[in-house]
Amino acid sequence: MPETASAAGTAGPASRRPVPYYAQWESPELVGAIVTGRATAAQDPRWRESGARSLDEYVRWSGHVCGMACLKMLLAARTGRVEPTIALARRALPHGAYVEEGEWIRGLIYAPFVRFLADEFGIAARVVTEVTEADLPAIMAEAEFFLASVHPDIRWPAHEPPGRGGHLVLVTAASAEAVVFSNPSGHDAASRSDVTLPLAVFGRFFAGRGVAVLPG
């Protein structure tokens, strides 16, 4: 089995407030099977908890809502309320944070997402681009959370990813040594919540862009 992301043996910064964990699929224990093709979203018995109006809607959207799962986590941390993930995506759609193109879904699109946060939740955020992992401590000195674009293989940090970006994780703390984050598509307990990776390891997956959510 590939090595799993783990906090073990890696000293790092502590997250500044407890953040409840939510996966982008409703049954976290199925994520490993879903991302490796051994199961499908249609087999998720908890799909209704997503706010999807049908199983078809859940299947269509659940692979695209890593950003909404990050939002669900930060909203729960701030307010104690749990917002259904697919319902959040439906709310974001008219703001342009997602674009439906036939059978395809494009997004998360950062600038409209920032406007969605402001309009729907009164949350201040800004788009961050053209940075490196070395900039993350300074970003997190100003931000409460950072939705970071990473390659989804970050769940297996020993992998050499084929590229960077394509998936969002919720960074909750960063120092010159390490990054702490929650991964909506973590495949096991060690790769989901409060994962700590050395800064350089995180950088192998980091696309140098994301959304910084400012303190509220």
Side-chain angles (χ1 to χ4, degrees), residues 3 8 26 61 64 75 78 81 90 95 100-101 107 119 124 129 146-147 175 177 192 194:
E3 180 183 337
E26 292 301 311
W61 275 91
H64 300 275
L75 288 173
R78 280 192 170 188
R81 296 194 307 271
R90 279 202 306 271
H95 294 263
E100 294 182 292
E101 298 174 337
D119 292 347
T129 59
F146 182 59
L147 281 73
S175 71
E177 290 76 37
R192 290 173 190 150
D194 291 330

Side-chain angles (χ1 to χ4, degrees), residues 42 76 84 206:
F206 180 44

Side-chain angles (χ1 to χ4, degrees), residues 7-33:
T10 304
S15 299
R16 284 175 284 185
R17 76 163 89 193
V19 179
Y21 178 77
Y22 297 101
Q24 65 187 85
W25 291 276
E26 292 301 311
S27 298
E29 67 276 10
L30 289 180
V31 171

